[in-house]
Amino acid sequence: VFLFFGPWIGGGTYVDLIDADAVIRGEHLSSGCGAAVAGAGDVNGDGFHDLWVGAPFTSDTEDDPIEVELDEHKLGRAHLLLGRNSWAAAQDLGDDSHLWISGEATAGMLGMSFAAGEDISGDGIPDACIGSPNAMGGAETNVGYVHCYTVLGSMGPGGYLSAVARFFVVGIGGGGMTGYSVSLSDFNGDGVFDVVLGAPYASTLATYNGAVAGFSGGASLPLGGNPMDAGVFYIEGSTANGSLGYAVQGVGDLSGNGFHETLLAAPGYGDETLAGGTVHVLPGRLNASQWPTESAGIPMALEGEFDTDRAGTHLAPLGNAGLGGQTVIVGSIHSVHGGDEAGKVYLTHLNLGRDDDGDGFTEEQGDCRDDDPDSYPGADTDTARDDDCDGWTEDDGDCNDACAN
């Protein structure tokens, strides 16, 4: 893991990793140090932001050069390094971590994904959710887990840090790889961040259609053994090989209604392309009945340019650049440039307008009655009412008023 300290000075366009201010190296052979990293927020309140580093291939038999390479021993490990005003140029995860959490599930590979730096428990302390997507569930492989923790304590004289478990989700079927992606997003608008997680290889409706789930944060956050489909929402990919949930990313409130939107990537799906990739923009909302159950019911999406681009393999927020809304980064690793699969990175600005009635939809998203919270695309409170203003009602055959016909 290479660290570059700000502020960034100079207008150069090329930076060599050899010029990094500090380098963090793995503690064991083939440990996978740096497979995932995340800003942790200031977990110990000293004014410095801290860092999580994943080493998902860390083995419970690291001293055996043969056994260390077997997947069943790769429990994984997540390391926390505290921020400070002076870093040694060379860091070692084994010697310099201030806290580490070891995986417990066979072949779990804890540390393959992180979402951190926000409070999901309501105590004001930033938490961390860590994916273990290869974890076995009984006799089933690659079921996947997500663990969330709060780090307590300090590193002052006589002090120490400890990780307190806050939340635990287990996948609902073999091969789904629950926890391949995880993000934090206040999708219900209560001021406490919620947990969104992906299982891109779930085959619930079709082969590798994928699925995502959302669990509400707060004091009532359930601790252990929660199946993935027991959250506030559970959304399945609508098409085979779409891999919904390959990446998930909270992007803040894009519509001014107090609810955060979340990006859900399905890089194997394209509406106008063959596997061009699709990034669904899931609106935040409070009413549980408004959550779609399939990705086809999400009203807004971004799509890759060309066949096999697989847009959405990586997602990240960049900030609003003074424009309102949010600028986001969308990775497209197979995008062709100059005849080669060189890959591309897209920057796109999302601003959904304003949701005036708080039903989770803006006029830009098809809410033609933005002064009536009971009227929105897909509403079924009145089958004789045209909720999406296409001239048809459900009684006329409109498919739940979520599409034009």
Side-chain angles (χ1 to χ4, degrees):
V1 175
F2 300 87
L3 302 183
F4 292 85
F5 303 143
W8 191 264
I9 300 175
T13 58
Y14 178 81
V15 176
D16 197 311
L17 291 179
I18 199 173
D19 297 322
D21 295 294
V23 178
I24 304 170
R25 295 181 173 85
E27 58 178 325
H28 299 300
L29 174 70
S30 303
S31 64
C33 171
V37 296
D42 182 9
V43 300
N44 61 334
D46 63 356
F48 295 96
H49 283 210
D50 309 311
L51 174 68
W52 284 103
V53 175
F57 307 142
T58 300
S59 173
D60 59 352
T61 59
E62 61 267 7
D63 295 328
D64 187 321
I66 297 177
E67 293 289 320
V68 74
E69 295 295 336
L70 299 179
D71 282 352
E72 67 223 48
H73 294 296
K74 295 177 181 177
L75 306 185
R77 189 171 289 174
H79 296 259
L80 176 68
L81 290 88
L82 296 181
R84 67 208 83 158
N85 57 12
S86 178
W87 289 68
Q91 303 279 316
D92 181 273
L93 278 184
D95 296 331
D96 297 312
S97 295
H98 297 91
L99 173 75
W100 62 84
I101 301 171
S102 294
E104 299 177 356
T106 301
M109 299 185 186
L110 181 81
M112 281 286 283
S113 63
F114 285 100
E118 304 290 356
D119 176 24
I120 65 168
S121 56
D123 60 4
I125 301 172
D127 302 304
C129 295
I130 309 169
S132 183
N134 281 48
M136 294 184 66
E140 294 186 297
T141 60
N142 303 114
V143 171
Y145 298 158
V146 172
H147 301 261
C148 298
Y149 300 91
T150 299
V151 176
L152 301 177
S154 69
M155 293 300 294
Y160 65 94
L161 298 177
S162 62
V164 178
R166 293 297 189 190
F167 180 55
F168 172 47
V169 170
V170 59
I172 60 172
M177 298 188 73
T178 295
Y180 191 90
S181 62
V182 60
S183 186
L184 306 181
S185 178
D186 184 15
F187 55 70
N188 62 4
D190 65 355
V192 178
F193 276 76
D194 312 304
V195 182
V196 181
L197 50 96
Y201 299 108
S203 300
T204 53
L205 299 180
T207 303
Y208 300 150
N209 60 295
V212 296
F215 288 81
S216 179
S220 60
L221 191 70
L223 178 59
N226 304 282
M228 185 178 174
D229 59 354
V232 174
F233 63 78
Y234 177 65
I235 303 172
E236 296 171 294
S238 299
T239 58
N241 301 308
S243 296
L244 181 72
Y246 192 95
V248 296
Q249 180 63 58
V251 289
D253 180 9
L254 303 180
S255 57
N257 62 359
F259 302 99
H260 288 196
E261 274 66 50
T262 309
L263 303 184
L264 313 177
Y269 169 69
D271 185 41
E272 301 292 337
T273 62
L274 177 63
T278 299
V279 179
H280 300 276
V281 184
L282 181 68
R285 59 201 66 178
L286 181 62
N287 190 340
S289 66
Q290 296 176 5
W291 294 107
T293 57
E294 291 187 33
S295 58
I298 302 174
M300 182 178 178
L302 310 172
E303 187 168 344
E305 288 185 280
F306 306 109
D307 292 349
T308 70
D309 274 5
R310 297 190 63 83
T313 47
H314 297 83
L315 302 170
L318 188 61
N320 64 24
L323 301 173
Q326 176 74 264
T327 300
V328 298
I329 303 170
V330 179
S332 181
I333 60 172
H334 292 296
S335 185
V336 174
H337 178 72
D340 298 317
E341 285 191 356
K344 291 181 182 177
V345 174
Y346 297 90
L347 275 68
T348 184
H349 191 76
L350 297 176
N351 190 332
L352 303 187
R354 187 168 185 85
D355 175 21
D356 292 316
D357 56 11
D359 60 10
F361 293 87
T362 67
E363 290 185 44
E364 288 81 354
Q365 295 172 291
D367 189 353
C368 54
R369 295 187 177 90
D370 209 22
D371 57 355
D372 181 358
D374 293 323
S375 179
Y376 51 87
D380 56 5
T381 55
D382 185 350
T383 60
R385 182 172 57 192
D386 176 17
D387 288 308
D388 55 5
C389 297
D390 62 0
W392 297 76
T393 68
E394 289 180 74
D395 290 345
D396 296 326
D398 195 351
C399 49
N400 202 25
D401 252 353
C403 60
N405 67 353

